[in-house]
Amino acid sequence: MRKYSYRDKEIKPVVEIYHDVIPYLGGITEGEFYKDTDKCISAWRSANEQIAAYFGDLLAPRAPSAPPLSYGHLVSLGVPFHQPEDAEPNVQHCVNSIDEGIAFLEERKNIDFGAAPECRRYIEMNAAIQEAFPQYKIAPLAGYGLEGVITTAELLRGQDFFCDLYDDPDKVHTFLTLLNESIIDFKKFCNRVNGVAEVSKVSVGIADDFASLIPPDMWSEFVIPYWVRYFEALSTGKSRSVHCENTHPAQLKYLKDAGVTHYQPSVADALTIENVKANTDIPFDWLLYAYRIVDMTDEEIQAWVDYAVESGITKIRTQFGKYAWSIGKMDRILAFYNAFEKYSVE
């Protein structure tokens, strides 16, 4: 593996592979990728061969698994979801008031997450993929995921949830408490099925993008306590990571209140390296957006990487998927890697 360093600190260039490039390179629709196990396996095989041939030792192909469903928790609760023919599935809002949301969660306090047909299908699909790719270790519930409490609240209740914060804050706390405990229980269930400890001794992470839609002065009441409860319930370790997109500088000062040790802003147009540093001293990584890198020259990519490196960022990311490959812009990802050559230590 190639190594890079700047001022005696290791630099880690990271290229992430969007799952939508797998069915694209495999010659199937995204709907088939999600629904047809045999076609899914064939797509993984074909796509990973092409990715390996293109990148060589620069980038390892993505480990095969059932396609990512970020809403596995909600699906196991019985929330309806829709699978388009050529897009990933999405859940549908299904509670029309905060009272209805509370009742929905009260009724499901002791639900068997594994009884959901989609959960059982994911276990079966991953077992088949494991058999097809014995060189990988594929968890039984790989891909069957969850979101943080605020994102899940919006997915369940809809955008009216953000009005509920003002109209009935006490009931919102009841709703969020029930929802957060359900998320924690689901995570422990997934850990059991996947053969790992329910409570980690090392680390815990959360993705909660819609928390950025709550004003900064409300984070202490409606965001941080629920993140803290999630972290404390799922890990005894000190490492706590948060992925929350579209945040604003004024929200970042609250991260430390949750004991966050690493922050991933990802797509957040209001943030700059400077204003992140001005509002928190928590380490963070930095992303060159997938939809921007495809339009950048070699010189622009080099300047972007140099600026991130010289600013002290040690984990520097970009991403590609179906879009970059389909428009013939994969050479921009190679240019990203090339931009780190001046920092090579081997």
Side-chain angles (χ1 to χ4, degrees):
M1 181 177 291
R2 304 182 189 196
K3 293 186 177 181
Y4 308 90
S5 178
Y6 180 73
R7 293 181 178 173
D8 297 324
K9 288 186 178 180
E10 184 180 3
I11 304 165
K12 294 181 179 180
V14 176
V15 173
E16 297 162 348
I17 304 171
Y18 283 152
H19 72 273
D20 67 351
V21 78
I22 307 302
Y24 174 74
L25 294 178
I28 62 173
T29 67
E30 201 160 349
E32 290 172 322
F33 183 53
Y34 273 87
K35 293 184 291 186
D36 189 314
T37 300
D38 290 338
K39 288 183 178 180
C40 177
I41 290 170
S42 177
W44 275 114
R45 185 169 287 116
S46 176
N48 278 357
E49 287 173 357
Q50 293 176 67
I51 290 169
Y54 189 85
F55 285 101
D57 65 354
L58 278 176
L59 176 66
R62 182 166 167 165
S65 74
L69 176 62
S70 298
Y71 317 124
H73 165 242
L74 285 173
V75 171
S76 275
L77 288 181
V79 174
F81 73 105
H82 173 63
Q83 173 66 68
E85 182 53 38
D86 203 10
E88 63 184 74
N90 279 289
V91 290
Q92 301 170 11
H93 309 316
C94 68
V95 297
N96 297 315
S97 69
I98 196 68
D99 287 321
E100 191 175 320
I102 291 169
F104 179 91
L105 293 168
E106 288 279 8
E107 292 167 3
R108 290 160 174 78
K109 271 188 175 180
N110 299 307
I111 196 169
D112 178 3
F113 296 111
E118 192 67 5
C119 183
R120 296 198 301 269
R121 191 179 74 83
Y122 260 71
I123 292 173
E124 293 170 359
M125 194 174 193
N126 277 312
I129 296 171
Q130 176 69 84
E131 185 175 351
F133 298 97
Q135 68 272 36
Y136 291 95
K137 183 175 176 57
I138 301 167
L141 275 175
Y144 199 69
L146 58 91
E147 294 286 337
V149 67
I150 303 302
T151 302
T152 306
E154 195 283 335
L155 292 169
L156 185 59
R157 171 79 175 96
Q159 294 183 18
D160 287 348
F161 167 74
F162 297 105
C163 296
D164 296 334
L165 296 171
Y166 299 92
D167 295 340
D168 214 331
D170 290 340
K171 287 184 178 178
V172 167
H173 282 302
T174 301
F175 176 64
L176 290 179
T177 298
L178 288 166
L179 185 56
N180 208 34
E181 294 305 309
S182 179
I183 293 168
I184 290 166
D185 289 344
F186 177 77
K187 179 61 176 174
K188 289 181 177 180
F189 160 77
C190 290
N191 287 348
R192 291 195 302 271
V193 174
N194 290 334
V196 300
E198 284 190 8
V199 179
S200 170
K201 295 180 180 179
V202 181
S203 64
V204 62
I206 194 169
D208 204 356
D209 291 337
F210 284 0
S212 64
L213 297 178
I214 294 181
D217 61 359
M218 299 176 77
W219 267 43
S220 290
E221 181 178 359
F222 291 105
V223 178
I224 298 305
Y226 299 99
W227 285 0
V228 169
R229 168 59 186 157
Y230 175 90
F231 289 146
E232 292 180 345
L234 293 170
S235 177
T236 58
K238 294 182 179 180
S239 179
R240 298 178 174 184
S241 63
V242 166
H243 168 104
C244 184
E245 299 190 0
N246 200 38
T247 49
H248 286 253
Q251 292 167 320
L252 303 183
K253 65 181 180 180
Y254 297 100
L255 295 173
K256 186 161 284 189
D257 295 339
V260 175
T261 58
H262 182 83
Y263 174 56
Q264 185 170 90
S266 284
V267 179
D269 286 334
L271 298 185
T272 64
I273 291 175
E274 289 78 13
N275 66 28
V276 173
K277 287 184 174 183
N279 286 276
T280 183
D281 60 1
I282 294 171
F284 60 98
D285 56 50
W286 203 240
L287 175 67
L288 179 50
Y289 306 158
Y291 57 85
R292 287 187 178 164
I293 192 172
V294 293
D295 293 324
M296 294 171 70
T297 65
D298 288 6
E299 293 75 18
E300 288 170 334
I301 293 171
Q302 184 69 65
W304 188 95
V305 167
D306 288 343
Y307 183 65
V309 168
E310 291 164 6
S311 297
I313 310 299
T314 56
K315 185 177 180 181
I316 302 170
R317 305 160 51 225
T318 195
Q319 303 162 328
F320 75 87
K322 171 183 176 180
Y323 178 65
W325 206 295
S326 67
I327 63 172
K329 290 287 189 175
M330 288 302 297
D331 63 332
R332 300 300 80 210
I333 307 302
L334 294 180
F336 177 80
Y337 276 120
N338 290 338
F340 289 89
E341 282 306 305
K342 65 196 292 185
Y343 305 107
S344 176
V345 294
E346 291 186 353

